[in-house]
Amino acid sequence: MTAEEIPKFVDGATNVYRTKGYIVNQVLSFEEDENGNGFVFSRDIYYRRTPMRDRQFERWFSERQYTDGTRFPCQAYSRRYVG
């Protein structure tokens, strides 16, 4: 794929995985609370699955053993949905 063909849902992601209805761009970061305790935070963008996005996903991740991938666990998250 060329730079123009890189799917939007891959841009800036630490991890990308697919659920029944969405392709999820997961960006992980290490944060610190007011008491100095560290935790993993995930900023997630949920892209509604479409036939075009599914084709892009399958091409991009064709070499994965488990094509849909899986979510990295974290202690806190935020979500944003894209149609």
Side-chain angles (χ1 to χ4, degrees), residues 28-46:
L28 299 171
S29 60
F30 298 98
E31 306 286 333
E32 189 175 291
D33 68 15
E34 62 278 354
N35 299 316
N37 299 309
F39 63 96
V40 178
F41 189 84
S42 180
R43 288 172 180 79
D44 304 337
I45 303 174
Y46 282 67

Side-chain angles (χ1 to χ4, degrees), residues 7-48:
K8 183 82 171 160
F9 55 79
V10 174
D11 188 34
T14 305
N15 181 38
V16 177
Y17 65 95
R18 192 162 57 171
T19 68
K20 184 177 179 181
Y22 295 92
I23 295 172
V24 184
N25 169 311
Q26 184 181 26
V27 178
L28 299 171
S29 60
F30 298 98
E31 306 286 333
E32 189 175 291
D33 68 15
E34 62 278 354
N35 299 316
N37 299 309
F39 63 96
V40 178
F41 189 84
S42 180
R43 288 172 180 79
D44 304 337
I45 303 174
Y46 282 67
Y47 293 88
R48 182 169 302 283

